Amino acid sequence: METGLSSHPQAGTYSTDMTTDGLVLVMAVNLLGPALLTELMLPLLRGSDKRPPGRLVNVAAAVWGAQLPATTTADDLAQLCTHVDPKLNSSGKYFQVAKYLLIHHAM
């Protein structure tokens, strides 16, 4: 039997909601939660001499066309997760950016 993890969480694209931890809800559900679950599952996904390695599948069709400026820093990314960005929020692209970053986490 193969071990696997399929990740396709979804929270709305327009949101000013924050979690009790002070995170933008869209980013917590669509990026931070799946990234943490992946990290916690890595020992099982790596397999062992008794079990073949598993697979991780991130569903992120919303990523098509997503781009971040080349000058984006880790601090900029952290800011997206802890403060509602009015430009991203008004365009509905929080979901797209969260999925884009999830794909980069998987690489």
Side-chain angles (χ1 to χ4, degrees), residues 16-56:
T16 56
D17 294 341
M18 302 291 286
T19 68
T20 57
D21 296 322
L23 302 169
V24 176
L25 182 63
V26 173
M27 298 301 270
V29 170
N30 295 300
L31 170 63
L32 303 172
L36 176 59
L37 179 60
T38 299
E39 293 296 320
L40 295 173
M41 292 287 296
L42 278 178
L44 291 174
L45 292 171
R46 286 191 176 112
S48 68
D49 51 342
K50 297 180 182 178
R51 185 178 23 72
R55 297 175 189 212
L56 170 64

Side-chain angles (χ1 to χ4, degrees), residues 78-97:
Q79 185 84 1
L80 290 175
C81 293
T82 58
H83 297 84
V84 175
D85 180 293
K87 186 176 177 182
L88 276 181
N89 198 44
S90 66
S91 66
K93 294 195 176 203
Y94 251 115
F95 180 74
Q96 184 182 41
V97 169

